[in-house]
Amino acid sequence: MIVVEFRLGTPALRETLSRTSEVRVEWERSDTADGERVHLLFWAEADGTDEFGAFEAALEDDPSVTAPTALVEVGGRRLYRAELRGEALERAVYPVLVEIGAVVRAVTVTASGWECHIAFPDRAAVDRFFDHCDEHGVETTVHRLYQERGEGSESSFGLTESQREILAAAVELGYLDVPRRVDLKELGEHLGISDTAASQRFRRGVRALVERTLLAMAGDGRERDDDPPD
């Protein structure tokens, strides 16, 4: 697999997040219907009811989506469903990702664009995807491209290097101390990533560590092919 980390300049949710930049949004899943419609499932994380209220009001006014619905709330995060419309639908790239067999590992959404971490089956698929983006006027900025080398690319305990790095930094900088000596923003700044990316990478590193140590020792080691590597 060839893994590409890049920013996608889609208008989807752009207006909402330009009005509520303090809310952190993470893509969960996309689905196509009738060969034309594209539905989104995404998580929003906010610090309180007021922020969620402002976020939902912005969603209702956002020209890129229709019928936004809050489905469930878990620990300060709400799962939403919405359907793309207008320019966001015209420039949707999920159908072509499905067509070429790409695997979406992680996506965080900001007003500046969608930060994507996607695995492609080969270089031809990578070229086809970015050609599609160029042809449909979808701006892309590639941050990193590399060949995934399976188990050999992982460090001990099944952690990737980036997962090992953030867990080690969390200990060294005092993120795990009580009280904490640094917050997620400072942890992310130390690693040169956003606080949202730091949160995702930390959670996935902890999960990988638990699954491949404690759960494996209990005979319940579970690995998910769709888990993003960092």
Side-chain angles (χ1 to χ4, degrees):
M1 300 289 280
I2 297 177
V3 180
V4 187
E5 299 173 7
F6 62 97
R7 178 182 298 130
L8 186 71
T10 172
L13 302 182
R14 179 186 296 163
E15 185 170 310
T16 294
L17 289 170
S18 68
R19 291 170 51 182
T20 58
S21 58
E22 68 280 0
V23 176
R24 297 164 292 280
V25 174
E26 178 182 354
W27 173 89
E28 176 67 22
R29 194 176 79 230
S30 291
D31 295 297
T32 57
D34 305 329
E36 297 180 357
R37 295 183 294 163
V38 176
H39 295 93
L40 296 179
L41 279 179
F42 56 93
W43 289 97
E45 184 176 354
D47 293 329
T49 303
D50 290 345
E51 286 187 2
F52 275 124
F55 179 75
E56 291 175 0
L59 273 179
E60 290 291 342
D61 296 337
D62 196 319
S64 70
V65 295
T66 185
T69 305
L71 301 177
V72 67
E73 182 170 350
V74 181
R77 303 174 78 220
R78 290 184 184 178
L79 181 65
Y80 290 88
R81 180 181 61 215
E83 182 178 336
L84 293 182
R85 66 175 177 177
E87 184 182 358
L89 178 59
E90 294 170 2
R91 298 189 179 189
V93 299
Y94 185 73
V96 73
L97 289 172
V98 173
E99 185 178 340
I100 63 180
V103 179
V104 180
R105 298 287 182 80
V107 178
T108 56
V109 188
T110 71
S112 299
W114 290 40
E115 295 293 337
C116 304
H117 187 148
I118 298 177
F120 296 83
D122 51 39
R123 187 55 192 253
V126 174
D127 292 341
R128 184 177 173 188
F129 173 76
F130 284 98
D131 286 347
H132 172 89
C133 291
D134 290 341
E135 291 168 4
H136 290 79
V138 181
E139 183 180 351
T140 57
T141 303
V142 176
H143 306 311
R144 186 182 178 205
L145 183 151
Y146 59 93
Q147 180 77 46
E148 190 173 53
R149 304 192 183 280
E151 293 300 318
S153 67
E154 294 186 343
S155 65
S156 60
F157 301 111
L159 297 174
T160 64
E161 181 59 25
S162 58
Q163 289 170 350
R164 186 206 63 78
E165 180 183 44
I166 196 166
L167 292 180
V171 173
E172 294 168 0
L173 299 179
Y175 178 71
L176 297 177
D177 289 0
V178 180
R180 287 176 174 165
R181 289 190 283 122
V182 297
D183 57 20
L184 273 175
K185 181 179 180 180
E186 293 169 312
L187 184 61
E189 289 175 348
H190 176 76
L191 299 172
I193 58 178
S194 69
D195 56 341
T196 300
S199 174
Q200 293 177 342
R201 191 173 296 181
F202 179 81
R203 292 200 313 270
R204 291 180 180 119
V206 170
R207 183 172 68 182
L209 188 60
V210 170
E211 286 180 343
R212 289 157 182 166
T213 54
L214 298 179
L215 294 183
M217 290 170 63
D220 189 26
R222 295 165 292 178
E223 295 188 10
R224 292 174 51 187
D225 292 339
D226 61 343
D227 280 351
D230 61 27

